[in-house]
Amino acid sequence: MLAPDTLIHNRYRIVRLMGEGGMGTVYEAIDERLGYSVALKQTLVGGPAPMEHTFEREAQQLARLRHPALPVVSDFFTDEAGQFLVTSFVPGDDLAKQLAVRGKAFFLEQMLRWADELLDVLEYLHSRQTPVLHRDIKPQNLKVGKRGELILLDLGLVKDSPLPTSHARGVSSGFGYTPLEQIQGEGTDPRSDLYALAATLYHLATNHPPADALRRASYLARRQPDPLRPPREINPLLPFTFANLLIAALSLDPAGRPSSAQAMRFAMYEERTGKAKALPILQPAVERTMPIVEKAAAKPKRQSQLITALPEPTQPLPHVATRSKNKPIWYLWMAGATLAIILFGGGAWWLAA
């Protein structure tokens, strides 16, 4: 652990310890060259040259990421104290501390908005040419920005890393949010992040952390009931659809979870708005730099609602007589006849007189 006021890389002065995880330790530091606060992450993976090259390659890939929910990676280096990653500093308490102070679950609408923002950034990370997995989503790694947006901290290793999964956050301080396949070192994929996200939302929605995956697996192996309590049993105000989606994403078997962040986001959207959301055509990840929170794709029409173009008629349509808006012509004939009778009668009377 680095003591406060320690100068690293002749540039970054340690202010305080911010947190510890399965992959390293995070400090608040001052960039003395530019004069502002940064988050300095000291990784625990070190040793052979291949691992150093892996760290350098992954740091460069993380530095290319641009999303409102992600801190910007500004620097990385290796020195005698270890390997370091420098990112933008996000002030304030994380959601774990906020929940502890609050003492009760967050409001549903607020959580659904946060869930949408998190699923948007996971969709961005997972759909990149080289997919990026976070592998450590938990309330301690979430903060709220100045404008109310959610920030996902402590980004993990990229998916193509040759490092064994057991070394890449196999067991972290967020053990209760970690899926079984990651704990056992069996390999991770995007659905592993969905498990951690669901475990985080479960905690925020009930003010109770979910039963960890190892405990659940041991109960099921002994043919005992799953110790994971249904969310509505703790918070009856949660909608059925939302609670069932959390349970599905918390499946110990990855095949039982939503297939992707996009699919889970659509289900969340339906719960939030009561409307079905059409699957959009995904844009290249490099072009998607802003989260889509309120704007939804148009609702698809059912087959019965689709209207096809009518063919051109082969014969002219019959003429349909319509009533003229002008007065009928017989009114003119009647007026003329009346005038003639008057004139004729008046002339006869004049002659007789």
Side-chain angles (χ1 to χ4, degrees), residues 341-353:
I341 291 174
I342 293 174
L343 293 177
F344 179 79
W349 176 83
W350 182 76
L351 290 175

Side-chain angles (χ1 to χ4, degrees), residues 217-233:
S218 65
Y219 271 61
L220 296 177
R222 297 195 300 267
R223 300 181 182 275
Q224 295 181 356
D226 191 333
L228 179 67
R229 297 174 62 188
R232 281 181 51 85
E233 182 180 300

Side-chain angles (χ1 to χ4, degrees), residues 106-314:
F106 289 99
F107 293 114
L108 176 65
E109 182 61 28
Q110 188 176 37
M111 286 189 303
L112 290 176
R113 186 176 69 251
W114 287 345
D116 186 79
E117 294 175 9
L118 286 173
L119 288 167
D120 181 69
V121 68
L122 288 182
E123 185 182 335
Y124 168 75
L125 294 172
H126 296 168
S127 62
R128 291 185 64 79
Q129 184 176 2
T130 302
V132 179
L133 303 183
H134 190 282
R135 293 192 176 95
D136 200 16
I137 300 174
K138 56 187 178 182
Q140 291 87 344
N141 281 336
L142 294 171
K143 285 189 175 183
V144 180
K146 294 180 179 179
R147 294 178 294 179
E149 74 281 13
L150 206 60
I151 307 296
L152 180 59
L153 309 174
D154 199 14
L155 193 62
L157 300 175
V158 296
K159 186 176 183 296
D160 70 341
S161 170
L163 294 175
T165 307
S166 59
H167 293 293
R169 302 169 183 251
V171 178
S172 71
S173 60
F175 188 70
Y177 311 94
T178 308
L180 185 63
E181 69 271 14
Q182 184 174 336
I183 297 173
Q184 296 179 338
E186 297 176 349
T188 54
D189 64 21
R191 294 170 297 181
S192 303
D193 279 346
L194 298 185
Y195 181 100
L197 172 63
T200 297
L201 294 176
Y202 181 106
H203 192 176
L204 300 178
T206 64
N207 197 27
H208 289 270
D212 66 78
L214 273 184
R215 181 183 171 214
R216 294 176 59 199
S218 65
Y219 271 61
L220 296 177
R222 297 195 300 267
R223 300 181 182 275
Q224 295 181 356
D226 191 333
L228 179 67
R229 297 174 62 188
R232 281 181 51 85
E233 182 180 300
I234 307 173
N235 184 356
L237 298 179
L238 295 178
F240 284 100
T241 305
F242 177 71
N244 291 337
L245 183 60
L246 293 184
I247 292 298
L250 285 169
S251 170
L252 294 179
D253 182 3
R257 303 169 197 162
S259 59
S260 66
Q262 184 189 55
M264 188 170 178
R265 190 180 180 202
F266 295 149
M268 286 285 185
Y269 175 84
E270 292 179 12
E271 174 59 40
R272 185 180 179 187
T273 65
K275 301 177 182 178
K277 185 175 182 180
L279 294 177
I281 300 176
L282 287 180
Q283 299 296 324
V286 69
E287 297 178 2
R288 300 186 66 251
T289 58
M290 292 297 292
I292 306 171
V293 178
E294 299 295 341
K295 185 177 180 180
K299 181 177 179 180
K301 295 181 179 179
R302 295 191 300 270
Q303 187 66 27
S304 61
Q305 295 176 316
L306 297 179
I307 301 176
T308 57
L310 294 176
E312 293 293 334
T314 56

Side-chain angles (χ1 to χ4, degrees), residues 70-92:
L70 296 176
V72 176
V73 176
S74 58
D75 192 11
F76 65 92
F77 57 89
T78 301
D79 65 8
E80 62 278 1
Q83 297 171 337
F84 292 87
L85 195 68
V86 184
T87 67
S88 53
F89 175 72
V90 182

Side-chain angles (χ1 to χ4, degrees), residues 4-27:
D5 207 39
T6 302
L7 186 64
I8 302 295
H9 203 53
N10 201 31
R11 176 174 178 177
Y12 303 101
R13 190 170 298 279
I14 302 297
V15 175
R16 64 182 177 94
L17 174 68
M18 294 177 58
E20 295 180 273
M23 275 294 294
T25 306
V26 182
Y27 300 90

